[in-house]
């Protein structure tokens, strides 16, 4: 890897010769501007506004634009005369715990490579000291004409340096916070935790730029003279989700289904809720219930009518039988009475002659 800066790490009285190498690279695809009519390149030319002449790089200098628009020329000699002790030195000023560094401050990343065999020993000493202390080093360094702040830490067996923004370059975050006073329920937090657990972790090495791959395929297809096939855009999702609990529950189900933990064929969807639709559907349900109620009442009445008729029929039969029995009872009573009377008369006749004889 090509170094972009050569210097030394100042570690107290220890000096470690190093080379600065970019730790990252940009894979984004760049485009050129062209004239759409004929495909000709569109280039930018540096032209003086006063005389209209095109200038070369050697003819171009630096200047500071004042508030009134006037230009104050600044030469390289002017800048070189300024005290800049970190021009060729990464000066370590402190060692702090890594969690005290706000990730918002982190900028570009570099690898610090030992420059030569004599640098191997002090380089390894600093690396192992950082490992054992579990701290990071805060340092100052100069790059591309300005002094910067850096953080040194160990990555595998290499000392890496992250450029840091100065504290006064970080904007305050108060204006970005929600203005409304919102409270979160424990049940919502529990569902959020469940969603986080379901999504789990990811191997960062498996993540890649899908859009860049699609652009590369598009360029390759057009270079071969083929017309790329337009892919159908994904279906638009529903509107705003009003019910947060429903959204969280559906998200957990969808995450489980994606990981193969849910039921087969189960699809988690978030239904858009609308207060107007809900209000309209409630009376509709009541109306349907009212319409269903008369039908049930009619069926109940019909059942009661059948029961009443059955009771009346039974009562009528019972009454008829009672009347017949009652009608038969007087005849038998009368027959018994007439028989008894006849017997009494016969006995009286037999007794009457005996009294006359005795007389």
């Amino acid at each position: 890897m090509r170094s972009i800066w050569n210097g030394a790490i100042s570690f107290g009285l220890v000096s470690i010769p190093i080379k600065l190498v970019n730790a990252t690279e940009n894979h984004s695809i760049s485009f050129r501007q062209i004239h759409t009519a004929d495909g000709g390149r569109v280039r930018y030319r540096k032209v003086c506004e006063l005389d209209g002449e095109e200038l070369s790089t050697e003819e171009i200098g630096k200047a500071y634009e004042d508030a009134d628009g006037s230009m104050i020329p600044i030469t390289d000699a002017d800048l070189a005369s300024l005290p800049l002790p970190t021009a060729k030195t990464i000066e370590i000023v402190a060692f702090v715990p890594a969690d005290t560094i706000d990730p918002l401050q982190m900028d570009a990343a570099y690898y610090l490579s030992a420059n030569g065999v004599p640098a191997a020993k002090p380089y390894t000493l600093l690396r192992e000291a950082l490992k054992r202390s579990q701290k990071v080093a805060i340092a100052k360094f100069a790059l591309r004409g300005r002094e910067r702040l850096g953080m040194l830490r160990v990555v595998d067996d290499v000392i890496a340096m992250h450029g840091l923004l100065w504290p006064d370059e970080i904007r305050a975050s108060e204006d970005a916070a929600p203005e409304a006073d919102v409270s979160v329920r424990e049940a919502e937090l529990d569902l959020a935790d469940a969603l986080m657990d379901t999504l789990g972790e990811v191997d960062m090495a498996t993540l890649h730029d899908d859009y860049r791959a699609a652009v590369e395929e598009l360029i390759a297809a057009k270079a071969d003279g083929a017309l790329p096939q337009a892919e159908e855009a994904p279906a638009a999702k529903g509107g705003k989700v009003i019910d947060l609990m429903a959204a969280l529950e559906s998200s957990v189900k969808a995450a489980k289904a994606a990981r193969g933990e849910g039921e087969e064929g189960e699809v988690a969807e978030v239904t858009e809720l609308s207060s107007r639709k809900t209000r309209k559907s409630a009376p509709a349900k009541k109306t349907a219930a009212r319409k269903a109620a008369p039908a049930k009442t009619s069926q109940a009445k019909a059942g009661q009518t059948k029961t009443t008729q059955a009771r009346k029929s039974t009562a009528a039969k019972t009454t008829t039988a009672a009347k017949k029995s009652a009608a038969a009872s007087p005849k038998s009573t009368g027959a018994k009475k007439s028989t008894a009377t006849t017997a009494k008369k016969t006995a009286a006749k037999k007794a009457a002659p005996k009294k006359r004889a005795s007389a």
Side-chain angles (χ1 to χ4, degrees), residues 317-332:
K317 291 180 181 179
T318 304
T319 305
T320 303
K323 287 181 179 180
K324 289 181 180 179
S325 175
S329 296
K331 292 181 180 180
S332 60

Side-chain angles (χ1 to χ4, degrees), residues 16 28 39-40 70 72 98 109 137 146 162 166 170 249 281 337 355:
I16 310 171
S28 61
S70 60
I72 303 174
R146 56 168 294 196
H162 294 269
W166 295 99
I170 305 296
E249 290 174 353
S281 61
K337 286 182 179 180
K355 289 181 178 180

Side-chain angles (χ1 to χ4, degrees), residues 1-10 15-22 84-91 110-116 119 140-144 161:
M1 291 184 286
R2 186 175 63 89
S3 63
I4 60 174
W5 184 89
N6 291 335
I9 299 175
S10 176
S15 180
I16 310 171
I18 56 97
K19 295 185 291 183
L20 193 67
V21 179
N22 279 321
L84 188 60
T86 57
K88 285 291 182 181
T89 304
I90 299 175
E91 182 182 353
Y110 308 93
Y111 288 136
L112 303 182
S113 174
N115 192 2
K140 289 183 177 181
F141 67 103
L143 183 64
R144 299 186 180 96
M161 183 174 68

Side-chain angles (χ1 to χ4, degrees), residues 160-205:
M161 183 174 68
H162 294 269
L164 299 179
L165 299 175
W166 295 99
D168 59 358
E169 293 179 322
I170 305 296
R171 293 181 176 178
S173 61
E174 288 82 0
D175 296 338
E179 296 180 359
D181 187 11
V182 180
S183 60
V184 180
R185 295 178 294 170
E186 288 294 328
E188 294 170 339
L189 284 173
D190 291 341
L191 278 173
D193 291 340
L195 177 58
M196 293 169 64
D197 293 339
T198 304
L199 291 176
E201 300 179 355
V202 65
D203 182 4
M204 297 297 290

Side-chain angles (χ1 to χ4, degrees), residues 304-323:
Q304 291 177 0
T305 303
K306 290 181 180 180
T307 305
T308 304
Q309 290 176 354
R311 289 178 179 174
K312 287 182 178 180
S313 176
T314 304
K317 291 180 181 179
T318 304
T319 305
T320 303
K323 287 181 179 180

Side-chain angles (χ1 to χ4, degrees), residues 2 9 11 17-18 36 44 51 56 58 71 83 86 98 106 125-126 146 174 189 266 273 278 306:
R2 186 175 63 89
I9 299 175
F11 178 32
I18 56 97
T36 56
Y44 292 97
D51 56 19
S56 62
E58 292 77 13
M71 297 294 177
T86 57
M106 292 189 179
L125 174 64
L126 176 59
R146 56 168 294 196
E174 288 82 0
L189 284 173
E266 181 182 4
L273 302 179
T278 304
K306 290 181 180 180

Side-chain angles (χ1 to χ4, degrees), residues 66-141:
D66 206 354
D68 59 359
S70 60
M71 297 294 177
I72 303 174
I74 301 294
T75 64
D76 292 338
D78 294 333
L79 296 175
S81 64
L82 298 176
L84 188 60
T86 57
K88 285 291 182 181
T89 304
I90 299 175
E91 182 182 353
I92 296 177
V93 296
F95 293 89
V96 299
D99 57 5
T100 61
I101 304 299
D102 191 338
L104 283 174
Q105 286 186 258
M106 292 189 179
D107 200 359
Y110 308 93
Y111 288 136
L112 303 182
S113 174
N115 192 2
V117 176
K121 179 72 178 220
Y123 183 96
T124 304
L125 174 64
L126 176 59
R127 183 190 67 196
E128 296 304 316
L130 288 172
K131 280 185 180 180
R132 189 167 70 173
S133 67
Q134 296 183 348
K135 292 183 177 181
V136 296
I138 302 300
K140 289 183 177 181
F141 67 103

